Amino acid sequence: MPDHAAAEGLAALKAPGQTEALLAAWKRSLSDGADIDARQAVIAALAVQTDARAREALGEIAGSDPQRVVRLRAGQALASSSGTAPADPGP
């Protein structure tokens, strides 16, 4: 999936200013049946963004992704960026 590779590259480069594109990629991944790895790559890339919108996006993913493992990873990334304990990802 192109978004997967792009998200991994952005995370590795720590490219700033990519929050909206990453959030859009996550939303696309929900509708096109992308695998969990692709959504986790988006989370990794969002985790290196420094803007408040990236933290909001991580919160959105942590609260609404259909896969518990993805919600957990997003919650961990959000907690790491804000210095708080991760939220319970639910069942």
Side-chain angles (χ1 to χ4, degrees):
M1 161 181 197
D3 287 339
H4 183 188
E8 286 181 337
L10 290 171
L13 293 172
K14 298 184 179 179
Q18 301 301 313
T19 298
E20 292 305 323
L22 290 164
L23 186 56
W26 172 73
K27 288 178 180 179
R28 272 192 311 276
S29 75
L30 294 175
S31 64
D32 70 11
D35 62 40
I36 291 171
D37 291 336
R39 296 203 306 275
Q40 289 182 340
V42 168
I43 291 166
L46 281 168
V48 299
Q49 299 297 299
T50 58
D51 58 315
R53 182 67 181 117
R55 289 186 297 281
E56 291 170 9
L58 287 169
E60 180 179 343
I61 296 169
S64 65
D65 194 278
Q67 296 293 323
R68 184 179 193 279
V69 68
V70 176
R71 292 191 309 271
L72 179 62
R73 182 71 55 92
Q76 290 170 336
L78 180 59
S80 179
S81 70
S82 64
T84 61
D88 183 350

